[in-house]
Amino acid sequence: MTRLAAGVVLVTAHEPALAPDGPSGEDIGMTATAFMSVSLDPPLVLVSLREGSRMDDLLDEQPLWGVSVLAESQRHIAGRFSMKGRISDRLLFEDIPYVRGEASGALLVGGALATLECSTEQRIPAGDHTLVIGRVLTARVPSADGGPLTYFKGRYRQLG
């Protein structure tokens, strides 16, 4: 499957506070290459999450999430959020421009080719992954600059 080129997205979600009077919750992010459009009517997308990953666990508890379609100039963002044993996501977001989605509360990357906010419609166990189908609540094209970031043969690449 390394011979199948794929677009690269950052999936984000806001983990709510554990207690009403406690800390405000945490933003988490995950790089994904298994992301696709499923339906235009209704607008549905699908992302594949490693079973038991932090994002899989979070989206099992709360249904709102965001997707930023990364541009070729955002390879560093993809690399940060795909590291194993990484530092806290709060620090990873620290110097990345973003806006908080109005519908999902998820962070959406500034300069992304497109951003979506989604609500989980269905979760499907599939081997060691969970396929999450989300209804698109908002879709924006904040930047038309540059080409898409792709993943091919184990590396991030540019088209052309």
Side-chain angles (χ1 to χ4, degrees), residues 26-89:
E26 189 174 354
D27 296 300
I28 68 167
M30 179 200 102
T31 302
T33 56
F35 176 79
M36 63 182 278
S37 171
V38 173
S39 169
L40 292 177
D41 188 19
L44 300 173
V45 294
L46 177 147
V47 65
S48 179
L49 306 175
R50 186 176 39 83
E51 184 180 89
S53 67
R54 187 168 181 206
M55 186 66 73
D56 183 38
D57 291 345
L58 177 56
L59 294 188
D60 192 32
E61 294 174 14
Q62 70 95 356
L64 299 174
W65 43 286
V67 176
S68 300
V69 178
L70 298 180
E72 58 195 5
S73 63
Q74 295 175 315
R75 177 185 305 217
H76 64 288
I77 296 172
R80 268 187 206 186
F81 288 91
S82 64
M83 292 185 303
K84 289 181 177 28
R86 64 187 193 220
I87 57 177
S88 80
D89 285 14

Side-chain angles (χ1 to χ4, degrees), residues 137-155:
L137 304 173
T138 69
R140 292 187 176 79
V141 181
S143 176
D145 295 339
L149 181 61
T150 59
Y151 194 74
F152 180 68
K153 291 174 63 179
R155 292 183 44 214

